[in-house]
């Protein structure tokens, strides 16, 4: 529950600031984000969205969760592609198509043009797979079945080394945290390091290497910096764009720095600039998997979960219950711990 709730809260905190610079965030929101905010008219992607609303990060995580549940843990990518196309149509109907990420947009367009599922995601290096990976981490204990499910969830839209590494890192971090492993961030890195590479080659930097570098920096030299200095290094040296080797690395670094203060972590992520909703969503999912729902500010969390149920008609409790049943399925997870 903490993982999915943390994802939604981070997404909602980052919604009004996504694709804005840190300077613009301070200008339009009178300083860094400290609470749920209405999006200003100048918001480039989600203008005027109301405080507490979630974006495609949360919605696509629920799409993947339902596919995992319906397919008993083994994703049918033909059906999953259909799910994503249906979701895209719903986004169009409510005028929110601009909330789609670039890799997902391109892949879904190729699907409509008849391109095979093996080819649609071959250029997807952005963070769309990682932002929706939390259900995989809930449904599978750490092991090969988790790695396979993370890979399958990427094939349609993010079938690259970077897309698959990013997705598997987030899913593994969530899963190790649920297992009660306090060192879940480092264990996720070690887990992915041991896996053979999957996906199409890209000349872009390694997600795994950059996650490891910036997380280690956050725990060593980064500790001596104040929050503004820490943010400046992330902005300058790590990057906070939709590319998975930037945003996922930033999320791991933020989670490491603010490990014991999840709400502060999400507010910081929402204020850092760039792909803030996804960085905060991933950070929230990972820290929520460890701390549980009680790790977050109750007033903010209650508002987001209320809107999730009433406005988006997403069943958090039912979804997590069904995913947890998959995790407990011995046929899926026997001898799966590594």
């Amino acid at each position: 529950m903490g993982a999915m709730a943390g994802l939604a809260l981070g997404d909602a905190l980052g919604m009004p600031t996504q694709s804005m610079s840190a300077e613009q965030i301070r200008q339009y929101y009178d300083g860094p984000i400290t609470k749920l905010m209405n999006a200003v008219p100048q918001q480039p992607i989600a203008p005027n969205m109301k405080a507490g609303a979630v974006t495609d990060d949360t919605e696509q995580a629920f799409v993947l969760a339902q596919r995992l549940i319906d397919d008993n843990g083994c994703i049918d990518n033909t059906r999953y592609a259909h799910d994503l196309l249906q979701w895209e149509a719903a986004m169009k109907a409510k005028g929110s198509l601009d909330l789609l990420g670039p890799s997902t947009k391109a892949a879904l367009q190729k699907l409509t043009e008849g391109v095979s599922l093996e080819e649609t995601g071959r250029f997807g290096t952005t963070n769309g797979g990682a932002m929706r990976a939390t259900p995989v981490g809930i449904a599978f204990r750490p092991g090969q079945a988790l790695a396979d499910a993370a890979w399958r969830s990427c094939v349609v839209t993010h079938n690259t080394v970077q897309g698959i590494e990013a997705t598997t890192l987030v899913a593994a971090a969530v899963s190790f945290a649920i297992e009660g492993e306090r060192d879940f961030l480092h264990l996720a890195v070690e887990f992915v390091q041991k896996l053979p590479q999957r996906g199409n080659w890209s000349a872009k930097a390694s997600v795994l290497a950059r996650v490891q570098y910036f997380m280690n920096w956050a725990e060593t030299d980064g500790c001596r910096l104040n929050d503004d200095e820490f943010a400046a290094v992330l902005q300058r040296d790590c990057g906070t764009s939709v590319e998975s080797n930037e945003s996922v690395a930033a999320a791991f670094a933020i989670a490491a720095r603010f490990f014991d203060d999840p709400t502060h972590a999400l507010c910081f992520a929402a204020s850092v600039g760039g792909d803030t909703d996804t960085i905060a969503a991933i950070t929230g999912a990972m820290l929520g998997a460890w701390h549980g729902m009680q790790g977050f500010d109750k007033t903010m969390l209650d508002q987001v979960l209320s809107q999730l149920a009433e406005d988006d008609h997403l069943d958090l409790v039912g979804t997590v219950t069904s995913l947890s049943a998959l995790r407990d399925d011995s046929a899926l997870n026997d001898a799966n711990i590594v």
Side-chain angles (χ1 to χ4, degrees):
M1 287 290 290
M4 289 294 280
L7 183 154
L9 178 58
D11 187 13
L13 281 165
M15 173 275 293
T17 62
Q18 58 186 314
S19 296
M20 301 174 83
S21 69
E23 291 74 19
Q24 288 174 319
I25 293 167
R26 287 194 293 271
Q27 175 187 352
Y28 289 115
Y29 298 103
D30 298 321
I33 298 299
T34 59
K35 60 183 180 180
L36 298 166
M37 303 281 287
N38 294 315
V40 294
Q42 296 87 351
Q43 216 306 310
I45 295 179
N48 301 310
M49 280 185 74
K50 68 179 180 179
V54 298
T55 76
D56 60 331
D57 299 65
T58 303
E59 292 185 2
Q60 285 195 37
F62 273 88
V63 171
L64 175 57
Q66 193 59 52
R67 180 47 48 204
L68 280 165
I69 294 163
D70 290 347
D71 292 344
N72 196 33
C74 187
I75 299 167
D76 182 322
N77 267 313
T78 299
R79 291 178 177 175
Y80 186 40
H82 180 69
D83 295 340
L84 289 172
L85 286 170
Q86 280 191 318
W87 178 80
E88 181 194 44
M91 294 286 279
K92 285 181 180 179
K94 65 180 183 179
S96 298
L97 185 60
D98 283 344
L99 292 175
L100 285 165
S103 296
T104 300
K105 272 186 181 178
L108 294 180
Q109 179 60 38
K110 290 176 184 176
L111 275 175
T112 63
E113 294 169 356
V115 176
S116 71
L117 292 175
E118 291 73 24
E119 295 293 320
T120 52
R122 66 190 305 263
F123 299 109
T125 59
T126 52
N127 55 28
M131 76 183 191
R132 61 187 184 231
T134 298
V136 175
I138 298 172
F140 293 93
R141 303 175 79 186
Q144 189 60 49
L146 181 146
D148 290 344
W151 164 68
R152 282 194 298 270
S153 76
C154 289
V155 169
V156 176
T157 58
H158 295 81
N159 192 12
T160 61
V161 172
Q162 287 82 358
I164 294 165
E165 280 186 350
T167 302
T168 310
L169 279 164
V170 175
V174 168
S175 188
F176 276 115
I178 292 171
E179 288 294 304
E181 299 284 356
R182 182 178 173 84
D183 199 24
F184 60 89
L185 296 172
H186 289 278
L187 288 172
V189 169
E190 294 170 11
F191 176 76
V192 176
Q193 283 175 329
K194 295 175 184 177
L195 297 173
Q197 279 193 349
R198 281 170 155 170
N200 291 283
W201 175 85
S202 164
K204 294 177 181 178
S206 164
V207 177
L208 180 62
R210 286 172 60 81
V211 163
Q212 187 172 28
Y213 177 87
F214 284 101
M215 182 171 60
N216 289 340
W217 165 78
E219 295 173 332
T220 54
D221 292 346
C223 288
R224 294 189 283 271
L225 305 179
N226 63 36
D227 284 2
D228 288 341
E229 293 168 335
F230 186 82
V233 174
L234 286 184
Q235 293 153 0
R236 184 190 66 218
D237 298 345
C238 178
T240 58
S241 79
V242 298
E243 284 297 330
S244 54
N245 57 24
E246 295 188 6
S247 47
V248 176
F252 270 77
I254 292 168
R257 178 179 176 86
F258 302 106
F259 188 92
D260 292 318
D261 194 352
T263 301
H264 188 184
L266 302 195
C267 290
F268 178 92
S271 305
V272 75
D275 197 10
T276 52
D277 58 327
T278 296
I279 295 171
I282 292 172
T283 303
M286 296 190 300
L287 292 181
W290 175 254
H291 291 280
M293 295 176 69
Q294 64 271 21
F296 301 106
D297 179 89
K298 187 176 186 304
T299 300
M300 287 198 288
L301 189 60
D302 285 348
Q303 181 178 341
V304 171
L305 296 185
S306 175
Q307 291 180 211
L308 203 66
E310 294 173 10
D311 297 349
D312 300 299
H313 308 293
L314 296 174
D315 180 5
L316 178 67
V317 175
T319 299
V320 172
T321 299
S322 296
L323 290 172
S324 299
L326 291 175
R327 189 182 189 89
D328 292 336
D329 187 336
S330 59
L332 291 176
N333 282 293
D334 262 358
N336 202 24
I337 294 291
V338 294

Short mmCIF file of all heavy atoms in Angstrom, two decimals, residues 72-126:
data_model
loop_
_atom_site.label_atom_id
_atom_site.label_comp_id
_atom_site.label_asym_id
_atom_site.label_seq_id
_atom_site.Cartn_x
_atom_site.Cartn_y
_atom_site.Cartn_z
N ASN A 72 -2.38 -13.22 -14.42
CA ASN A 72 -1.79 -14.03 -13.36
C ASN A 72 -0.27 -13.90 -13.33
O ASN A 72 0.46 -14.88 -13.14
CB ASN A 72 -2.19 -15.51 -13.50
CG ASN A 72 -1.93 -16.30 -12.23
OD1 ASN A 72 -2.04 -15.78 -11.12
ND2 ASN A 72 -1.56 -17.57 -12.38
N GLY A 73 0.21 -12.68 -13.54
CA GLY A 73 1.63 -12.40 -13.40
C GLY A 73 2.45 -12.50 -14.67
O GLY A 73 3.59 -12.05 -14.70
N CYS A 74 1.91 -13.09 -15.71
CA CYS A 74 2.65 -13.26 -16.97
C CYS A 74 2.01 -12.36 -18.02
O CYS A 74 0.98 -12.70 -18.60
CB CYS A 74 2.64 -14.71 -17.42
SG CYS A 74 3.71 -15.02 -18.85
N ILE A 75 2.65 -11.23 -18.29
CA ILE A 75 2.04 -10.19 -19.12
C ILE A 75 1.87 -10.66 -20.56
O ILE A 75 2.83 -11.09 -21.21
CB ILE A 75 2.90 -8.92 -19.10
CG1 ILE A 75 3.00 -8.37 -17.67
CG2 ILE A 75 2.34 -7.85 -20.04
CD1 ILE A 75 4.07 -7.31 -17.51
N ASP A 76 0.65 -10.56 -21.05
CA ASP A 76 0.35 -10.79 -22.47
C ASP A 76 0.52 -9.43 -23.16
O ASP A 76 -0.30 -8.54 -23.01
CB ASP A 76 -1.08 -11.30 -22.62
CG ASP A 76 -1.45 -11.59 -24.07
OD1 ASP A 76 -1.03 -10.83 -24.96
OD2 ASP A 76 -2.19 -12.57 -24.31
N ASN A 77 1.60 -9.28 -23.94
CA ASN A 77 1.91 -7.96 -24.48
C ASN A 77 0.95 -7.51 -25.57
O ASN A 77 0.79 -6.30 -25.79
CB ASN A 77 3.35 -7.92 -24.98
CG ASN A 77 4.30 -7.40 -23.91
OD1 ASN A 77 4.03 -6.39 -23.27
ND2 ASN A 77 5.40 -8.11 -23.70
N THR A 78 0.29 -8.43 -26.23
CA THR A 78 -0.74 -8.03 -27.19
C THR A 78 -1.89 -7.35 -26.45
O THR A 78 -2.39 -6.29 -26.86
CB THR A 78 -1.26 -9.24 -27.98
OG1 THR A 78 -0.16 -9.82 -28.70
CG2 THR A 78 -2.34 -8.83 -28.97
N ARG A 79 -2.31 -7.95 -25.34
CA ARG A 79 -3.37 -7.36 -24.53
C ARG A 79 -2.89 -6.08 -23.85
O ARG A 79 -3.65 -5.11 -23.74
CB ARG A 79 -3.85 -8.36 -23.48
CG ARG A 79 -4.60 -9.55 -24.09
CD ARG A 79 -5.01 -10.54 -23.03
NE ARG A 79 -5.79 -11.63 -23.58
CZ ARG A 79 -6.19 -12.70 -22.89
NH1 ARG A 79 -5.89 -12.78 -21.60
NH2 ARG A 79 -6.89 -13.64 -23.46
N TYR A 80 -1.64 -6.08 -23.42
CA TYR A 80 -1.10 -4.88 -22.77
C TYR A 80 -1.04 -3.71 -23.76
O TYR A 80 -1.37 -2.58 -23.41
CB TYR A 80 0.29 -5.19 -22.21
CG TYR A 80 0.88 -4.08 -21.39
CD1 TYR A 80 0.12 -3.32 -20.51
CD2 TYR A 80 2.25 -3.80 -21.47
CE1 TYR A 80 0.68 -2.31 -19.75
CE2 TYR A 80 2.82 -2.79 -20.71
CZ TYR A 80 2.03 -2.04 -19.87
OH TYR A 80 2.59 -1.04 -19.12
N ALA A 81 -0.65 -4.00 -24.98
CA ALA A 81 -0.65 -2.95 -26.01
C ALA A 81 -2.06 -2.40 -26.21
O ALA A 81 -2.25 -1.18 -26.34
CB ALA A 81 -0.10 -3.51 -27.32
N HIS A 82 -3.04 -3.30 -26.22
CA HIS A 82 -4.44 -2.86 -26.36
C HIS A 82 -4.85 -2.00 -25.16
O HIS A 82 -5.54 -0.98 -25.32
CB HIS A 82 -5.35 -4.08 -26.48
CG HIS A 82 -6.81 -3.73 -26.63
ND1 HIS A 82 -7.32 -3.13 -27.74
CD2 HIS A 82 -7.85 -3.91 -25.77
CE1 HIS A 82 -8.63 -2.94 -27.59
NE2 HIS A 82 -8.97 -3.40 -26.40
N ASP A 83 -4.41 -2.39 -23.95
CA ASP A 83 -4.70 -1.60 -22.76
C ASP A 83 -4.15 -0.18 -22.90
O ASP A 83 -4.83 0.79 -22.56
CB ASP A 83 -4.06 -2.24 -21.51
CG ASP A 83 -4.63 -3.60 -21.17
OD1 ASP A 83 -5.75 -3.91 -21.60
OD2 ASP A 83 -3.94 -4.35 -20.45
N LEU A 84 -2.92 -0.08 -23.39
CA LEU A 84 -2.29 1.23 -23.52
C LEU A 84 -2.99 2.08 -24.57
O LEU A 84 -3.15 3.29 -24.40
CB LEU A 84 -0.81 1.08 -23.86
CG LEU A 84 0.07 0.55 -22.72
CD1 LEU A 84 1.48 0.24 -23.23
CD2 LEU A 84 0.14 1.55 -21.57
N LEU A 85 -3.43 1.44 -25.64
CA LEU A 85 -4.17 2.18 -26.67
C LEU A 85 -5.52 2.67 -26.12
O LEU A 85 -5.95 3.79 -26.43
CB LEU A 85 -4.38 1.30 -27.90
CG LEU A 85 -3.12 1.08 -28.76
CD1 LEU A 85 -3.38 0.00 -29.80
CD2 LEU A 85 -2.69 2.38 -29.43
N GLN A 86 -6.18 1.83 -25.34
CA GLN A 86 -7.44 2.25 -24.72
C GLN A 86 -7.20 3.41 -23.76
O GLN A 86 -7.99 4.37 -23.71
CB GLN A 86 -8.08 1.08 -23.97
CG GLN A 86 -8.82 0.10 -24.86
CD GLN A 86 -9.65 -0.87 -24.02
OE1 GLN A 86 -9.21 -1.37 -22.99
NE2 GLN A 86 -10.87 -1.13 -24.46
N TRP A 87 -6.12 3.33 -23.00
CA TRP A 87 -5.79 4.39 -22.07
C TRP A 87 -5.49 5.69 -22.83
O TRP A 87 -5.94 6.76 -22.43
CB TRP A 87 -4.58 3.98 -21.23
CG TRP A 87 -4.15 5.04 -20.27
CD1 TRP A 87 -4.70 5.33 -19.06
CD2 TRP A 87 -3.09 5.97 -20.46
NE1 TRP A 87 -4.03 6.38 -18.48
CE2 TRP A 87 -3.04 6.79 -19.32
CE3 TRP A 87 -2.16 6.18 -21.48
CZ2 TRP A 87 -2.10 7.81 -19.17
CZ3 TRP A 87 -1.24 7.19 -21.34
CH2 TRP A 87 -1.21 8.00 -20.20
N GLU A 88 -4.76 5.57 -23.94
CA GLU A 88 -4.47 6.74 -24.76
C GLU A 88 -5.77 7.39 -25.26
O GLU A 88 -5.91 8.62 -25.25
CB GLU A 88 -3.60 6.37 -25.95
CG GLU A 88 -3.23 7.56 -26.82
CD GLU A 88 -2.65 7.14 -28.16
OE1 GLU A 88 -3.20 6.22 -28.79
OE2 GLU A 88 -1.68 7.78 -28.59
N ALA A 89 -6.72 6.56 -25.68
CA ALA A 89 -8.00 7.09 -26.16
C ALA A 89 -8.73 7.85 -25.05
O ALA A 89 -9.34 8.89 -25.29
CB ALA A 89 -8.86 5.95 -26.69
N ALA A 90 -8.66 7.31 -23.83
CA ALA A 90 -9.30 7.98 -22.70
C ALA A 90 -8.61 9.32 -22.41
O ALA A 90 -9.26 10.31 -22.08
CB ALA A 90 -9.26 7.09 -21.47
N MET A 91 -7.28 9.34 -22.55
CA MET A 91 -6.54 10.59 -22.36
C MET A 91 -6.97 11.63 -23.39
O MET A 91 -7.17 12.80 -23.08
CB MET A 91 -5.04 10.33 -22.48
CG MET A 91 -4.48 9.45 -21.39
SD MET A 91 -4.34 10.28 -19.80
CE MET A 91 -2.81 11.16 -20.05
N LYS A 92 -7.12 11.19 -24.64
CA LYS A 92 -7.58 12.10 -25.69
C LYS A 92 -8.96 12.65 -25.36
O LYS A 92 -9.23 13.84 -25.54
CB LYS A 92 -7.63 11.38 -27.04
CG LYS A 92 -6.29 11.13 -27.69
CD LYS A 92 -6.49 10.43 -29.02
CE LYS A 92 -5.18 10.16 -29.72
NZ LYS A 92 -5.37 9.46 -31.02
N ALA A 93 -9.84 11.78 -24.88
CA ALA A 93 -11.23 12.17 -24.62
C ALA A 93 -11.31 13.26 -23.56
O ALA A 93 -12.21 14.11 -23.60
CB ALA A 93 -12.04 10.95 -24.20
N LYS A 94 -10.37 13.24 -22.59
CA LYS A 94 -10.43 14.27 -21.55
C LYS A 94 -9.42 15.39 -21.78
O LYS A 94 -9.17 16.20 -20.90
CB LYS A 94 -10.24 13.66 -20.17
CG LYS A 94 -8.89 13.03 -19.89
CD LYS A 94 -8.88 12.47 -18.45
CE LYS A 94 -7.52 11.90 -18.09
NZ LYS A 94 -7.49 11.38 -16.71
N GLY A 95 -8.82 15.40 -22.98
CA GLY A 95 -7.94 16.49 -23.37
C GLY A 95 -6.59 16.48 -22.71
O GLY A 95 -5.93 17.51 -22.60
N SER A 96 -6.10 15.32 -22.31
CA SER A 96 -4.84 15.24 -21.58
C SER A 96 -3.77 14.48 -22.32
O SER A 96 -2.86 13.93 -21.71
CB SER A 96 -5.07 14.56 -20.21
OG SER A 96 -5.95 15.31 -19.42
N LEU A 97 -3.84 14.45 -23.63
CA LEU A 97 -2.88 13.66 -24.40
C LEU A 97 -1.45 14.12 -24.17
O LEU A 97 -0.51 13.33 -24.24
CB LEU A 97 -3.22 13.73 -25.90
CG LEU A 97 -2.36 12.87 -26.83
CD1 LEU A 97 -2.50 11.40 -26.45
CD2 LEU A 97 -2.76 13.09 -28.28
N ASP A 98 -1.25 15.40 -23.88
CA ASP A 98 0.10 15.90 -23.67
C ASP A 98 0.78 15.31 -22.45
O ASP A 98 1.97 15.50 -22.24
CB ASP A 98 0.09 17.43 -23.55
CG ASP A 98 -0.06 18.12 -24.91
OD1 ASP A 98 0.16 17.44 -25.92
OD2 ASP A 98 -0.41 19.30 -24.94
N LEU A 99 0.03 14.57 -21.61
CA LEU A 99 0.63 13.94 -20.46
C LEU A 99 1.37 12.65 -20.83
O LEU A 99 2.07 12.09 -20.03
CB LEU A 99 -0.43 13.63 -19.39
CG LEU A 99 -1.04 14.86 -18.72
CD1 LEU A 99 -2.15 14.44 -17.77
CD2 LEU A 99 0.01 15.64 -17.96
N LEU A 100 1.22 12.18 -22.04
CA LEU A 100 1.95 11.01 -22.49
C LEU A 100 3.42 11.34 -22.65
O LEU A 100 3.78 12.41 -23.15
CB LEU A 100 1.41 10.53 -23.85
CG LEU A 100 0.08 9.79 -23.86
CD1 LEU A 100 -0.46 9.71 -25.27
CD2 LEU A 100 0.26 8.39 -23.31
N GLY A 101 4.30 10.39 -22.27
CA GLY A 101 5.73 10.58 -22.47
C GLY A 101 6.11 10.36 -23.93
O GLY A 101 5.37 9.74 -24.70
N PRO A 102 7.29 10.85 -24.34
CA PRO A 102 7.68 10.77 -25.74
C PRO A 102 7.85 9.36 -26.27
O PRO A 102 7.46 9.06 -27.41
CB PRO A 102 9.01 11.55 -25.79
CG PRO A 102 9.49 11.56 -24.37
CD PRO A 102 8.27 11.58 -23.52
N SER A 103 8.43 8.46 -25.47
CA SER A 103 8.62 7.08 -25.94
C SER A 103 7.29 6.36 -26.07
O SER A 103 7.06 5.62 -27.03
CB SER A 103 9.54 6.32 -24.98
OG SER A 103 10.83 6.87 -24.97
N THR A 104 6.39 6.57 -25.10
CA THR A 104 5.08 5.92 -25.17
C THR A 104 4.27 6.46 -26.34
O THR A 104 3.62 5.70 -27.06
CB THR A 104 4.33 6.12 -23.84
OG1 THR A 104 5.11 5.55 -22.79
CG2 THR A 104 2.97 5.44 -23.88
N LYS A 105 4.30 7.78 -26.54
CA LYS A 105 3.61 8.37 -27.69
C LYS A 105 4.08 7.74 -28.99
O LYS A 105 3.28 7.34 -29.84
CB LYS A 105 3.88 9.88 -27.75
CG LYS A 105 2.93 10.75 -26.95
CD LYS A 105 3.24 12.22 -27.23
CE LYS A 105 2.34 13.14 -26.44
NZ LYS A 105 2.67 14.56 -26.67
N ALA A 106 5.40 7.68 -29.17
CA ALA A 106 5.97 7.15 -30.41
C ALA A 106 5.62 5.68 -30.59
O ALA A 106 5.26 5.24 -31.69
CB ALA A 106 7.48 7.34 -30.41
N ALA A 107 5.70 4.90 -29.50
CA ALA A 107 5.41 3.47 -29.60
C ALA A 107 3.94 3.22 -29.93
O ALA A 107 3.62 2.36 -30.77
CB ALA A 107 5.78 2.78 -28.29
N LEU A 108 3.03 3.95 -29.30
CA LEU A 108 1.61 3.75 -29.56
C LEU A 108 1.25 4.17 -30.98
O LEU A 108 0.39 3.55 -31.63
CB LEU A 108 0.77 4.52 -28.54
CG LEU A 108 0.88 4.01 -27.09
CD1 LEU A 108 0.01 4.85 -26.18
CD2 LEU A 108 0.51 2.54 -26.99
N GLN A 109 1.91 5.20 -31.49
CA GLN A 109 1.68 5.59 -32.88
C GLN A 109 2.11 4.48 -33.82
O GLN A 109 1.42 4.17 -34.80
CB GLN A 109 2.45 6.89 -33.19
CG GLN A 109 2.30 7.37 -34.63
CD GLN A 109 0.86 7.67 -35.01
OE1 GLN A 109 0.09 8.19 -34.21
NE2 GLN A 109 0.47 7.29 -36.23
N LYS A 110 3.25 3.86 -33.53
CA LYS A 110 3.72 2.75 -34.36
C LYS A 110 2.76 1.57 -34.30
O LYS A 110 2.52 0.89 -35.31
CB LYS A 110 5.12 2.32 -33.92
CG LYS A 110 6.20 3.33 -34.26
CD LYS A 110 7.55 2.90 -33.71
CE LYS A 110 8.61 3.95 -33.98
NZ LYS A 110 9.91 3.61 -33.38
N LEU A 111 2.20 1.33 -33.11
CA LEU A 111 1.22 0.25 -32.98
C LEU A 111 0.03 0.48 -33.91
O LEU A 111 -0.43 -0.45 -34.58
CB LEU A 111 0.72 0.15 -31.54
CG LEU A 111 1.55 -0.66 -30.55
CD1 LEU A 111 0.96 -0.53 -29.16
CD2 LEU A 111 1.60 -2.12 -30.96
N THR A 112 -0.46 1.71 -33.93
CA THR A 112 -1.62 2.00 -34.79
C THR A 112 -1.27 1.88 -36.26
O THR A 112 -2.15 1.68 -37.10
CB THR A 112 -2.16 3.42 -34.51
OG1 THR A 112 -1.17 4.39 -34.84
CG2 THR A 112 -2.56 3.57 -33.05
N GLU A 113 0.02 1.98 -36.58
CA GLU A 113 0.47 1.87 -37.97
C GLU A 113 0.79 0.43 -38.36
O GLU A 113 1.21 0.16 -39.49
CB GLU A 113 1.70 2.75 -38.19
CG GLU A 113 1.42 4.24 -38.04
CD GLU A 113 2.68 5.08 -37.98
OE1 GLU A 113 3.79 4.49 -37.98
OE2 GLU A 113 2.56 6.32 -37.92
N GLY A 114 0.61 -0.51 -37.42
CA GLY A 114 0.81 -1.91 -37.73
C GLY A 114 2.20 -2.44 -37.48
O GLY A 114 2.52 -3.57 -37.87
N VAL A 115 3.06 -1.66 -36.83
CA VAL A 115 4.42 -2.13 -36.51
C VAL A 115 4.32 -3.24 -35.46
O VAL A 115 3.50 -3.17 -34.54
CB VAL A 115 5.29 -0.96 -36.00
CG1 VAL A 115 6.67 -1.45 -35.57
CG2 VAL A 115 5.41 0.11 -37.08
N SER A 116 5.16 -4.26 -35.55
CA SER A 116 5.09 -5.39 -34.64
C SER A 116 5.48 -4.98 -33.23
O SER A 116 6.24 -4.03 -33.01
CB SER A 116 6.02 -6.51 -35.11
OG SER A 116 7.37 -6.15 -34.92
N LEU A 117 4.97 -5.72 -32.24
CA LEU A 117 5.24 -5.43 -30.84
C LEU A 117 6.73 -5.50 -30.52
O LEU A 117 7.21 -4.83 -29.61
CB LEU A 117 4.49 -6.41 -29.94
CG LEU A 117 2.97 -6.28 -29.92
CD1 LEU A 117 2.37 -7.40 -29.09
CD2 LEU A 117 2.55 -4.93 -29.37
N GLU A 118 7.48 -6.32 -31.25
CA GLU A 118 8.91 -6.46 -31.00
C GLU A 118 9.70 -5.22 -31.43
O GLU A 118 10.84 -5.03 -31.03
CB GLU A 118 9.47 -7.68 -31.73
CG GLU A 118 9.01 -9.03 -31.18
CD GLU A 118 7.55 -9.33 -31.53
OE1 GLU A 118 7.05 -8.76 -32.53
OE2 GLU A 118 6.92 -10.13 -30.82
N GLU A 119 9.07 -4.36 -32.25
CA GLU A 119 9.77 -3.21 -32.81
C GLU A 119 9.30 -1.87 -32.25
O GLU A 119 10.01 -0.87 -32.34
CB GLU A 119 9.61 -3.19 -34.33
CG GLU A 119 10.26 -4.37 -35.04
CD GLU A 119 11.78 -4.33 -34.91
OE1 GLU A 119 12.36 -3.24 -35.01
OE2 GLU A 119 12.38 -5.40 -34.69
N THR A 120 8.09 -1.83 -31.68
CA THR A 120 7.52 -0.53 -31.30
C THR A 120 8.34 0.20 -30.25
O THR A 120 8.40 1.42 -30.25
CB THR A 120 6.08 -0.69 -30.77
OG1 THR A 120 6.08 -1.69 -29.73
CG2 THR A 120 5.13 -1.11 -31.89
N GLY A 121 8.98 -0.53 -29.34
CA GLY A 121 9.69 0.10 -28.24
C GLY A 121 11.19 0.16 -28.41
O GLY A 121 11.90 0.47 -27.45
N ARG A 122 11.71 -0.05 -29.60
CA ARG A 122 13.15 -0.23 -29.77
C ARG A 122 13.95 1.06 -29.60
O ARG A 122 15.19 1.02 -29.53
CB ARG A 122 13.47 -0.88 -31.11
CG ARG A 122 13.16 -0.07 -32.34
CD ARG A 122 13.30 -0.95 -33.60
NE ARG A 122 14.61 -1.58 -33.66
CZ ARG A 122 15.64 -1.09 -34.36
NH1 ARG A 122 15.49 0.04 -35.04
NH2 ARG A 122 16.79 -1.72 -34.40
N PHE A 123 13.30 2.21 -29.53
CA PHE A 123 14.02 3.47 -29.30
C PHE A 123 13.63 4.13 -27.97
O PHE A 123 14.02 5.27 -27.71
CB PHE A 123 13.76 4.44 -30.45
CG PHE A 123 14.21 3.92 -31.79
CD1 PHE A 123 13.28 3.55 -32.75
CD2 PHE A 123 15.56 3.78 -32.08
CE1 PHE A 123 13.69 3.06 -33.98
CE2 PHE A 123 15.98 3.29 -33.31
CZ PHE A 123 15.04 2.92 -34.26
N GLY A 124 12.89 3.43 -27.13
CA GLY A 124 12.38 4.02 -25.89
C GLY A 124 13.39 3.98 -24.75
O GLY A 124 13.51 2.98 -24.05
N THR A 125 14.10 5.08 -24.56
CA THR A 125 15.10 5.17 -23.49
C THR A 125 14.63 6.06 -22.34
O THR A 125 15.38 6.26 -21.38
CB THR A 125 16.42 5.74 -24.02
OG1 THR A 125 16.18 7.04 -24.57
CG2 THR A 125 17.02 4.83 -25.09
N THR A 126 13.43 6.58 -22.42
CA THR A 126 12.93 7.47 -21.37
C THR A 126 12.36 6.66 -20.20
O THR A 126 12.47 5.44 -20.16
CB THR A 126 11.89 8.44 -21.95
OG1 THR A 126 10.88 7.69 -22.65
CG2 THR A 126 12.53 9.41 -22.93
#
